[in-house]
Amino acid sequence: MSEQSAVIPAMPNVHSHAFQLDLRGIGERPIPEAHAHDDFWSWRIAMFALADALDPDSMYDVASRLYSQMRDNGYGVVGEFHYVHHQSDGTPYDEPNEMAFALARAAQDVGLPIVLIPAAYHRNGWDGEDRPPADGQRRFCDPDVESFLARVEALRLWSADQQNVEVAVAAHSVRAVPSSWLSAIAAYSDEHGLVRHVHAHEQRRELEETQAEHGCSPIELLAETGFLGKKTSIIHGTHVTDHDIDLLAASNTIVAACPTTEANLGDGYLPAMRYLDAGVRLAVGSDSQVRVDPFEEAREMETVARRTSELRVGPHAATGDLWSYLVENGHASLGLTGSPVSELKIELDLDDPQIAGVEASDLSAALSTCASASVVKTPISA
Ligand SMILES: [Zn+2]
């Protein structure tokens, strides 16, 4: 019997924290003082401990293991939302972009294009005043936005000579930076034509803290500070009001969902159909790496929408082809629309038991409902 295959676009992974790969298992251990209330915030304690132990060599090592898995499983490019910038005590490395270089080298050696997205971080939230960084957070932090942007600018200039390395910019979240930083980062990205990302509306506590500090939601604050826009991606967007969605739609902002991570962390879920009905573009990322499988991200988005609507009409039906839709918006989220990277393809094994016998006209539906990464026969060659 002849081998059958089909060629489809590789999926852009718009949101990754490489080092979190090594939280698998560890991140599930109960934390005694938090048990029964284990949630995102107790998971974060384990994540900080892991981040605190990293150095450029171990960052390269974990990123290499992760990126080869991403490439083999059908991703075509990774957006690395990078915030472990400095040494453990917060002192910059002699080369301030040492950690970013380690990530770029890992991606290049594996053959996976990368968009480095350095993220600004300044504080451990707000409780009437800026809360200073906790022990594990010091290495994420910069004293002022000018120091942060100077490092991003050096990275941007360095990347001009690099193969398959692009640079974008991020604010970690509205809880991690003062609002003046959001305006400054938006202005910098506009000046250089870079896309910009920010975590927002992942956790209800984040909404309460932003309400207390600013009297509005994170998305409303991002609108006020000029951060939203067609080159902007909000990461998560799980808990949103209709007004938040209107602001995203009016500004043509993308929402990058990380469905398997949001499920693992107990964040809630993406209200995909509300976004699609409003015309908000959606993309996906692997985020905490609890799963490194773009088929599973698409399937989680599809099936959660069906569970909540109690209908079998989900994002795949709404978009006509969920896989292709997520590919297109993923490239827009990473600033790669029309680039050679946006043309990268993967080959599927149509003899794989998960999709064997599926008719060609049903294949796109099968990719978002019953496939996993094992259907990838030939990953990208970049
Ligand atoms: Zn994230």
Side-chain angles (χ1 to χ4, degrees):
M1 201 167 69
S2 66
E3 289 188 5
Q4 300 184 76
S5 64
V7 173
I8 63 168
M11 182 63 73
N13 184 351
V14 307
H15 188 72
S16 159
H17 309 290
F19 75 93
Q20 294 182 11
L21 180 73
D22 286 338
L23 274 174
R24 290 176 304 176
I26 295 172
E28 308 305 326
R29 292 177 190 161
I31 295 177
E33 60 271 26
H35 197 43
H37 294 287
D38 260 352
D39 61 7
F40 170 86
W41 304 98
S42 53
W43 169 87
R44 208 172 67 141
I45 295 168
M47 186 268 282
F48 284 175
L50 181 68
D52 202 35
L54 287 165
D55 62 29
D57 287 344
S58 58
M59 183 68 100
Y60 174 88
D61 174 71
V62 68
S64 301
R65 286 184 276 120
L66 173 69
Y67 294 161
S68 60
Q69 200 182 345
M70 284 184 188
R71 179 205 57 206
D72 290 349
N73 288 359
Y75 284 118
V77 56
V78 58
E80 181 65 35
F81 192 108
H82 165 55
Y83 58 88
V84 186
H85 302 299
H86 305 305
Q87 299 180 64
S88 176
D89 66 356
T91 312
Y93 286 98
D94 290 345
E95 162 50 67
N97 276 310
E98 186 82 42
M99 283 293 208
F101 291 169
L103 291 160
R105 265 202 329 278
Q108 287 174 316
D109 290 352
V110 157
L112 182 70
I114 188 169
V115 179
L116 288 166
I117 312 173
Y121 212 115
H122 178 64
R123 63 183 197 177
N124 184 16
W126 185 88
D127 56 6
E129 56 186 340
D130 288 354
R131 244 192 323 251
D135 280 354
Q137 284 176 309
R138 265 186 265 284
R139 62 187 320 180
F140 311 161
C141 291
D142 283 294
D144 50 67
V145 71
E146 291 78 17
S147 307
F148 167 73
L149 289 174
R151 197 170 62 253
V152 176
E153 179 63 5
L155 189 65
R156 189 180 74 83
L157 296 173
W158 170 83
S159 72
D161 301 327
Q162 296 295 313
Q163 187 76 17
N164 283 332
V165 179
E166 301 292 334
V167 170
V169 66
H172 178 277
S173 54
V174 304
R175 63 188 151 81
V177 296
S179 61
S180 61
W181 287 42
L182 299 171
S183 312
I185 292 166
Y188 175 83
S189 75
D190 283 342
E191 183 185 346
H192 296 288
L194 307 183
V195 296
R196 54 183 179 256
H197 287 198
V198 61
H199 290 118
H201 292 243
E202 177 176 11
Q203 284 283 325
R204 293 190 193 277
R205 183 172 128 188
E206 169 202 350
L207 304 185
E208 290 159 14
E209 288 187 2
T210 310
Q211 193 66 41
E213 181 177 6
H214 300 288
C216 62
S217 75
I219 286 172
E220 288 167 346
L221 181 66
L222 291 164
E224 270 174 37
T225 53
F227 202 93
L228 299 185
K230 67 180 193 301
K231 285 178 166 288
T232 302
S233 293
I234 298 289
I235 314 302
H236 300 303
T238 42
H239 307 284
V240 282
T241 64
D242 289 345
H243 184 240
D244 294 323
I245 292 180
D246 288 346
L247 289 171
L248 297 176
S251 56
N252 204 11
T253 298
I254 294 171
V255 173
C258 306
T260 63
T261 292
E262 289 148 10
N264 179 268
L265 293 179
D267 284 340
Y269 61 88
L270 181 86
M273 296 308 288
R274 287 171 65 205
Y275 282 124
L276 289 169
D277 288 346
V280 175
R281 296 174 292 167
L282 303 176
V284 286
S286 66
D287 195 3
S288 71
Q289 331 299 353
V290 66
R291 301 291 297 147
V292 183
D293 182 335
F295 301 88
E296 194 164 336
E297 300 301 342
R299 189 172 62 82
E300 183 86 11
M301 184 185 290
E302 176 71 25
T303 52
V304 167
R306 292 185 185 195
R307 282 180 204 272
T308 51
S309 68
E310 299 181 32
L311 293 169
R312 301 190 70 248
V313 182
H316 180 72
T319 60
D321 178 350
L322 182 58
W323 183 273
S324 300
Y325 167 87
L326 294 173
V327 167
E328 180 181 345
N329 294 331
H331 289 141
S333 172
L334 294 176
L336 296 171
T337 303
S339 72
V341 168
S342 72
E343 300 298 319
L344 291 170
K345 304 278 196 283
I346 56 175
E347 185 182 22
L348 306 180
D349 177 7
L350 297 181
D351 295 322
D352 183 285
Q354 294 179 47
I355 53 173
V358 171
E359 291 190 19
S361 57
D362 296 326
L363 184 62
S364 70
L367 297 182
S368 300
T369 52
C370 54
S372 75
S374 75
V375 303
V376 177
K377 181 180 184 180
T378 315
I380 59 156
S381 56

